[in-house]
Structures are given as C-alpha cells and as structure tokens.
Amino acid sequence: QPTEQAFRIGEVLNQYTHDRGLAFRIADAIVEQGEKEKIDPALLVGVLLTEDADLNPRAKSSVGARGLMQVMPLHSGKWGCGSSDLFDVESNICHGVQILKQAMQDAPNTRVALLRYNGCVRGRNTPNCHQYDDKVLKHADRAAAEMRLVKTPKSE
C-alpha cells in the first residue's frame, strides 16, 4: 500500500512512461529515500526527470552515467544501498539521493548542490550545464503542483 505521497508521485511519473508499475516503483523509492535523508521528494522527482524524462532504468549516458538518476559507476556500492547494480531502480535512486545529500551538505545552497550533482563545477563537462539547476527546479515545481492536483483513492 503506497503512502499518499508515493501515490501522488506515481501518478505524476505515470505521464512519462507506459509502465504504470515502474512509475509507482520509482515513486515508492523516491519517497522512502527522501524521507530517510530529509530531502523533499519533489526535488528528487526534479532531478530524476532532468536526468531521464523517459524513466528508463537502463539508461546510459555518453560519459557512462547509469540508470534513472544517472549515477557514475565510481559511486556504485557506496552507502549500503542494498545493491551495487546501478540499473536496479531502488539501488539507483538510493545512490542518487546519497550523492545529492552529500552535495547539499557541502554546498552553500540547493542550486549549487544541484550543479555539483550534475558535475557542473566549472561548467566545462556538459554544454550549458549551468542551466541544470533551473531545469531541476522547474521540474520539481511542476511535479509538486501536479501532486497537489492528484485525486487520491480516499480523498472524501
């Protein structure tokens, strides 16, 4: 039984995939990790949709980042995420959340933390990477707004 928040996130993510089961599996992992690490799940949805709007757990970037949250293999197996398989939904989200949590602890604010998550420290690795934080926050705001509109099964 998903929490109300996981249900709302699942409904939002369901717009990006034909696999309803996958959307809700991702939503559960996002809510679980977000609550555990005290990171707003809407922000995590923002990162997820910026990294991979197709919600493909097997996504691989040109630089080798893997899975839903585009985690670099060098991070694999850290933080006790249960599995070091970055193509595993729950493992990938756990790794991604840990990387973001670390960035948020080290950065002066959320925007800088997001740029660090993306590896955009001096803006040389990815073209236009300095726009990454705007994209994430735009996705996060839209997801949060859409989550508020979702009709939950027991909203009488």
Side-chain angles (χ1 to χ4, degrees):
Q1 185 69 10
T3 64
E4 184 176 320
Q5 191 172 34
F7 179 80
R8 289 172 183 276
I9 291 173
E11 288 293 338
V12 170
L13 294 177
N14 199 39
Q15 301 168 65
Y16 296 88
T17 175
H18 297 297
D19 185 342
R20 190 169 172 81
L22 174 65
F24 282 87
R25 189 175 160 195
I26 293 168
D28 283 339
I30 280 180
V31 169
E32 183 187 326
Q33 293 299 320
E35 285 176 356
K36 193 172 124 195
E37 302 304 342
K38 316 245 181 308
I39 297 176
D40 178 4
L43 181 64
L44 298 177
V45 170
V47 171
L48 180 90
L49 292 175
T50 303
E51 291 294 348
D52 181 28
D54 296 332
L55 301 187
N56 174 10
R58 302 207 64 81
K60 208 167 170 192
S61 79
S62 57
V63 293
R66 296 180 180 174
L68 295 163
M69 294 189 76
Q70 290 292 285
V71 176
M72 291 299 282
L74 69 102
H75 295 295
S76 172
K78 294 182 185 173
W79 303 296
C81 284
S83 164
S84 57
D85 178 3
L86 296 176
F87 294 123
D88 173 74
V89 169
E90 290 76 11
S91 170
N92 185 279
I93 290 171
C94 174
H95 281 83
V97 169
Q98 290 298 328
I99 294 164
L100 183 59
K101 175 188 162 190
Q102 189 65 59
M104 288 173 88
Q105 286 170 346
D106 298 342
N109 59 52
T110 302
R111 286 182 173 275
V112 174
L114 289 169
L115 292 174
R116 288 185 182 165
Y117 181 90
N118 183 243
C120 184
V121 182
R122 287 180 205 85
R124 292 195 192 111
N125 66 334
T126 316
N128 300 320
C129 73
H130 54 277
Q131 296 168 355
Y132 182 82
D133 55 333
D134 289 330
K135 287 182 191 160
V136 170
L137 295 172
K138 209 170 280 169
H139 276 301
D141 288 347
R142 190 164 60 227
E146 288 174 1
M147 282 161 59
R148 288 192 287 274
L149 300 174
V150 170
K151 301 269 183 278
T152 57
K154 39 184 196 304
S155 41
E156 279 100 59

